[in-house]
């Protein structure tokens, strides 16, 4: 069966520091991968999606970037965090032949 | 662009009460519809989904949702809620866009069930 994991689960970082959240999917190949941010009262906002290695699309302009160095690995990064980057980040995957998105456990980021 | 509206941000019910959470979307084409649930301290889970066929969809834990195309709605229902249904519920709409799933979520409805 397919599984998705992301880490770290919680992170407290000072303003201006870098960020790296990692996500991996097991049990499937060539998945579509996504990074979402969940903000209170604002639902889930799609940040990035990827349909293949090295293929990254951004949905909204922001202080973050994403990379997909391997087929089942998706990384969310920032060179310098802002206070407004605080939030709950979710990695997700879907099969190109299905239409359901499955989410990881999420990562709480607090920028102080 | 597609959008999803969940009209109830916070719902409080007593156990055994009936539940209906509203979800409306705006998109004129073919969409797939989902309800996700996030229990306290847990990750987002799929509750049920509609792709095609019978517009009345049954999901896990006694939940169901009805797709009414003419109303652009996909309301979630449960005849009798339990305390364990306390969670946040998200409606989502997806369509295929350039080879990937473009999914738009509603802002969520927090359900609190009182014993």
């Amino acid at each position: 069966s397919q599984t998705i994991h992301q880490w770290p689960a919680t992170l407290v970082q000072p303003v201006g520091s870098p960020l790296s959240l990692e996500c991996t999917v097991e049990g499937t190949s060539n998945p579509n991968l996504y990074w979402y941010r969940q903000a209170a009262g604002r639902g889930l906002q799609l940040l990035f999606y990827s349909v293949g290695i090295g293929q990254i699309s951004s949905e909204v302009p922001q202080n973050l970037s994403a990379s997909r160095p391997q087929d089942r690995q998706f990384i969310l990064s920032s060179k310098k965090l802002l206070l407004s980057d605080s939030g709950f980040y979710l990695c997700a995957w879907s099969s190109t032949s299905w239409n359901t998105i499955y989410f990881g456990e999420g990562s709480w980021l607090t920028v102080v | 662009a597609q959008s999803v509206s969940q009209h109830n941000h916070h719902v409080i019910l007593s156990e055994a009460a009936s539940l209906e959470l509203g979800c409306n979307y705006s998109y004129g084409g073919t969409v797939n519809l989902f309800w996700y649930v996030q229990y306290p301290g847990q990750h987002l889970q799929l509750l049920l989904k509609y792709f095609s066929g019978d517009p009345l969809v049954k999901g896990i834990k006694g939940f169901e949702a009805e797709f009414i195309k003419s109303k652009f709605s996909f309301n979630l229902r449960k005849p009798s809620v339990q305390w364990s249904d306390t969670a946040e519920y998200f409606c989502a709409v997806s369509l295929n866009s350039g080879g990937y799933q473009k999914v738009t979520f509603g802002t969520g409805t927090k359900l609190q069930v009182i014993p």
Side-chain angles (χ1 to χ4, degrees):
Chain A
S1 63
Q2 300 82 18
T3 58
I4 178 170
H5 297 289
Q6 64 178 103
W7 65 93
T10 59
L11 196 60
V12 180
Q13 292 285 95
V15 169
S17 65
L19 169 74
S20 181
L21 299 179
E22 191 165 342
C23 171
T24 59
V25 179
E26 298 294 334
T28 187
S29 59
N30 195 31
N32 292 337
L33 297 172
Y34 311 84
W35 278 110
Y36 283 87
R37 177 164 55 200
Q38 184 179 9
R42 297 178 62 184
L44 286 156
Q45 181 185 35
L46 178 63
L47 302 176
F48 300 96
Y49 68 91
S50 171
V51 298
I53 296 174
Q55 301 177 61
I56 310 293
S57 296
S58 173
E59 282 292 297
V60 294
Q62 60 211 304
N63 184 42
L64 302 167
S65 62
S67 61
R68 185 170 178 173
Q70 300 180 41
D71 182 44
R72 292 168 293 175
Q73 184 184 27
F74 206 26
I75 298 171
L76 184 68
S77 304
S78 173
K79 291 182 179 178
K80 290 185 178 181
L81 284 169
L82 305 172
L83 286 174
S84 58
D85 292 324
S86 294
F88 188 54
Y89 291 84
L90 288 159
C91 182
W93 75 276
S94 70
S95 165
T96 54
S97 60
W98 304 337
N99 284 310
T100 301
I101 289 185
Y102 298 93
F103 290 88
E105 305 94 331
S107 299
W108 279 107
L109 170 66
T110 303
V111 182
V112 296
Chain B
Q2 70 215 67
S3 65
V4 180
S5 298
Q6 290 181 244
H7 311 295
N8 309 107
H9 298 295
H10 197 179
V11 174
I12 301 174
L13 293 173
S14 298
E15 274 193 315
S18 64
L19 169 72
E20 181 159 4
L21 301 182
C23 173
N24 288 90
Y25 67 94
S26 64
Y27 181 71
T30 301
V31 295
N32 298 322
L33 299 158
F34 307 84
W35 276 98
Y36 284 86
V37 60
Q38 189 170 28
Y39 297 103
Q42 297 187 28
H43 64 278
L44 213 60
Q45 304 172 38
L46 180 67
L47 196 58
L48 50 79
K49 61 187 176 185
Y50 171 80
F51 290 167
S52 63
D54 188 344
L56 185 61
V57 180
K58 295 191 184 298
I60 60 172
K61 303 185 180 184
F63 285 91
E64 64 179 30
E66 185 174 12
F67 170 51
I68 303 179
K69 189 174 182 180
S70 60
K71 295 184 178 179
F72 297 90
S73 70
F74 191 55
N75 292 354
L76 181 70
R77 300 194 293 249
K78 185 170 184 178
S80 176
V81 294
Q82 301 172 317
W83 176 78
S84 58
D85 294 324
T86 295
E88 190 162 14
Y89 294 80
F90 293 90
C91 182
V93 171
S94 81
L95 55 89
N96 285 322
S97 175
Y100 86 103
Q101 281 288 328
K102 185 173 177 62
V103 182
T104 303
F105 286 83
T107 52
T109 298
K110 290 186 178 178
L111 171 65
Q112 184 178 357
V113 180
I114 302 171

